[in-house]
Amino acid sequence: MITYEKKEIFYFLIGFWLILGVECYSSGSYNLTVKTGGSVTIPCYYDGKYTHQKKYWFSEADKSSTYTNTTEENLSVIDHPDQNLFTVTMRNLQSTKHDGRYYCAVKVEGNVTVTYGLYLQVQSAPDVSVVNSSVSGHEGGDISVQCFYSSGYKNEVKQWCRYKDQSCYTVGRTNTSQNSSVQISDDGRGSFTVLMTGLRLTDSGWYYCSAGEALNPVQLTVNEAEPGTVSDKVNETGILNDNNETEDTVATQNNELLTVWLPALAALLLLLILISVFTWRWRRRHKQDKHQIRRRTSSITTDVIYSKAEDPEMYSIINYENPNDPNKDITYSTIDNFPVREAEKPPAGGAIYSIIYSTVAPH
């Protein structure tokens, strides 16, 4: 049994070097640096035709193989067939125990195929590191990743690469593809920043920051755009290309205007109506009062009737207009002494039977 395992490892190493010589040397070797006591997750991509094959993580240091869907205290190997990759998570890393070369491998009919290989080095101050090994954004939005490097890598080429197809973006160069773009800027003091804008769902996946041969992996997750956002509807020219989004925005603005201005306009209109009614009533009442005073003052008719010239008593009939009905009069009758003025005395030998005072109201 032991002999069989050693033989398998021997063939594995031979197969690895053969494949490495054809596929991996062209892109160089990768050094993954991790802080002492820390953890790291490594993606292992494979061809879709290997979905149902056995995959495992192989350590050259202790010649151990850990198959997918295995979870241990400090090691987990999980397959994600829907993404054509399996992930390896190593925890509580120590330099004396975990430094060495590792491989992602697939076993096909007894033969071993290496899909990815790297050298892991545990350091107190990693050559390349990131603050967060997992970032997320929304479709049409943007994300920013800051990558740190040690002074020894100051003059090395800084890149942001995608594991899946090994496509890389270099500092000082801008790559634009459809609606997404990648910009990398180096501050020259120990860090460079990766900015991805116009994110698409297909941008989800595993990437890594690298300075020279040193790297550190980062997982990017792009979620569907949130309802009501505008950023996911903007094309390369910055013009909205979704009529529904435009209509929703206009409708929202109209609702806000109605909510704020409609009550204010209604209150203003009501105030104007009240002022107009009050003014009209005041003017009408003032005019009526003035007219009534004039009519009452000028509508008194006095009829004085003497029975005889020597009779000092007077029978007086006073007519007032009824203010409630101009067509009806109120009549008051009184009998009283009436001081007759000289002009009103009857001539000698004659008699005054009536004296009528009347004043006609002005028209």
Side-chain angles (χ1 to χ4, degrees), residues 323-340:
N324 296 323
D325 188 349
N327 296 321
K328 295 182 180 180
D329 296 336
I330 300 175
T331 304
Y332 297 90
S333 299
T334 60
I335 299 175
D336 200 355
N337 292 326
F338 184 79
V340 180

Side-chain angles (χ1 to χ4, degrees), residues 50-83:
Y50 299 140
T51 300
H52 302 291
Q53 306 300 325
K54 288 185 177 181
K55 301 99 181 172
Y56 59 94
W57 175 250
F58 179 79
S59 171
E60 189 179 276
D62 57 8
K63 306 298 187 292
S64 62
S65 299
T66 304
Y67 286 88
T68 54
N69 300 324
T70 299
T71 300
E72 300 176 355
E73 181 180 0
N74 293 320
L75 177 65
S76 298
V77 183
I78 307 298
D79 191 14
H80 304 276
D82 57 323
Q83 303 177 43

Side-chain angles (χ1 to χ4, degrees), residues 277-301:
V277 171
F278 176 79
T279 303
W280 176 77
R281 289 176 62 87
W282 181 83
R283 290 182 176 179
R284 185 172 179 269
R285 182 174 180 180
H286 180 70
K287 185 176 181 180
Q288 288 178 347
D289 291 346
K290 186 176 180 181
H291 183 65
Q292 288 177 1
I293 291 172
R294 287 179 178 175
R295 293 191 63 184
R296 287 179 181 177
T297 303
S298 59
S299 63
I300 299 175
T301 302

